[in-house]
Amino acid sequence: MIVTAVPNVRTIVVEVWRPLFALFVWDCIVTGVYLWSPFTAPSLPLTIFGSALALFLGFRSNSAYQRWWEGRVLWGAMINVSRNLARAVRSFLPDDPARDLKRTIVLRQVAYVNALRCQLRRHPVDGEVLRFLSQGEATPSLARTNKANGILDGSSRRIDAAMRAGLIDTIQQSHIEGLLVEIANAQGGMERLKNTPLPNQFRFFPTFFTRLFCLLLPIGLVETLGIATPVGSTIAGLMFLAVLQIGDDLVDPFADTVHDLPLSAMCRTIEIDLLEAIGDEAPKPLQPVDGVLW
């Protein structure tokens, strides 16, 4: 996620320079044909076209931003529930003989959020999980298709075993299980966002109509702007291309690009809070790199 107050011009140029350069070349061709040939440019209702396109692109960008914001809300809930889980385990389980079990549950939750982060970003999971869990502790979960869910199931089984051993009562188990259900619900929402793209109409038609509008733009402006058409048309086209690119950038909040949610930083926040809760040394919070927080 870009955290600088002013957008990086280089980032903007890298994302839109190809269609913008093509538009500038087309503008020059149209301007040259108009100035040095007998052809006249037809009158086009660009105001109507542009207004309709702006509404279409605005609706699409809002839909993409809603997905991005929903992902942030789900990860905010994950941070809160992880803290609540650590506090409940630390409070309910007795120090003796459940000290190791408390530590195990907390470390499993840290491993879980990092595994979920890797799954959403399509990164390898095993290495992140083994940073917090031993090979024997992690193997059953890593053997499953949904490794993060496997870690969560393992934590639930350990809480159930603690109840059967008399370390906690059924009310305490029910409270902890409720927290695990909240975690699973948040994961399900994240997977829904990741695996359900915008409908094809939201992806194809905005791109098609934006490019068509950019093709018509110099034809409709050349009578008014004359030799300045390439400049005016390119600047106007940049606005529409930028809005189109914004929708593409925000539609997948877990794609591991500079525009997406800082999952690594949020996982580090959970790691710090939970390790400090059990008295372990915690790492420092992640800092932005070149204005981007990962």
Side-chain angles (χ1 to χ4, degrees):
M1 181 176 69
I2 299 175
V3 295
T4 53
V6 180
N8 190 323
V9 176
R10 178 178 175 275
T11 301
I12 298 175
V13 172
V14 166
E15 292 181 348
V16 301
W17 77 268
R18 289 182 178 85
L20 199 62
F21 178 75
L23 174 60
F24 180 76
V25 172
W26 170 245
D27 293 341
C28 292
I29 293 174
V30 171
T31 303
V33 171
Y34 171 76
L35 293 177
W36 292 292
S37 72
F39 295 104
T40 59
S43 177
L44 297 176
L46 289 180
T47 302
I48 298 176
F49 292 167
S51 298
L53 181 59
L55 290 174
F56 198 10
L57 291 177
F59 185 73
R60 176 178 181 267
S61 297
N62 286 338
S63 299
Y65 179 75
Q66 287 174 358
R67 290 168 58 90
W68 188 92
W69 183 247
E70 183 181 359
R72 181 61 185 91
V73 170
L74 290 170
W75 268 98
M78 182 68 72
I79 293 173
N80 294 338
V81 179
S82 297
R83 292 167 176 164
N84 293 337
L85 176 64
R87 183 168 58 251
V89 169
R90 186 184 58 190
S91 301
F92 294 162
L93 290 171
D95 286 337
D96 189 21
R99 184 184 301 274
D100 290 341
L101 178 59
K102 289 197 291 186
R103 177 179 173 80
T104 296
I105 296 297
V106 170
L107 289 178
R108 289 184 69 88
Q109 180 61 20
V110 178
Y112 164 80
V113 295
N114 281 280
L116 179 59
R117 165 178 60 84
C118 292
Q119 287 182 188
L120 293 173
R121 287 180 166 176
R122 304 288 192 253
H123 291 174
V125 175
D126 294 22
E128 286 297 303
V129 173
L130 293 175
R131 286 202 301 124
F132 305 100
L133 303 180
S134 65
Q135 186 71 50
E137 183 80 13
T139 296
S141 301
L142 295 179
R144 297 177 58 164
T145 302
N146 192 324
K147 296 176 173 60
N149 189 56
I151 296 174
L152 199 64
D153 287 348
S155 298
S156 179
R157 287 195 297 270
R158 283 160 176 78
I159 294 299
D160 180 68
M163 187 274 294
R164 295 179 185 279
L167 299 176
I168 57 175
D169 58 35
T170 55
I171 296 177
Q172 293 169 329
Q173 182 208 15
S174 177
H175 177 77
I176 296 176
E177 186 63 31
L179 296 176
L180 296 179
V181 169
E182 290 185 43
I183 292 171
N185 289 339
Q187 177 181 345
M190 297 172 198
E191 292 172 339
R192 168 175 50 80
L193 289 175
K194 183 67 178 181
N195 299 325
T196 308
L198 282 177
N200 185 61
Q201 297 90 329
F202 279 76
R203 289 176 282 131
F204 172 76
F205 287 112
T207 302
F208 174 77
F209 288 132
T210 300
R211 293 177 177 176
L212 178 61
F213 180 77
C214 288
L215 289 176
L216 297 177
L217 196 57
I219 300 176
L221 294 178
V222 69
E223 287 280 357
T224 304
L225 298 182
I227 198 170
T229 298
V231 176
S233 177
T234 301
I235 293 175
L238 173 62
M239 293 186 287
F240 287 93
L241 292 171
V243 175
L244 180 67
Q245 187 62 42
I246 287 172
D248 292 337
D249 292 336
L250 298 181
V251 72
D252 183 359
F254 313 125
D256 197 19
T257 70
V258 296
H259 305 285
D260 297 325
L261 294 173
L263 302 189
S264 298
M266 289 189 283
C267 287
R268 178 63 63 84
T269 297
I270 295 174
E271 180 182 346
I272 293 171
D273 291 343
L274 269 58
L275 291 181
E276 289 179 345
I278 58 176
D280 281 13
E281 182 179 356
K284 299 293 184 181
L286 288 182
Q287 299 299 321
V289 178
D290 296 329
V292 177
L293 185 62
W294 295 95

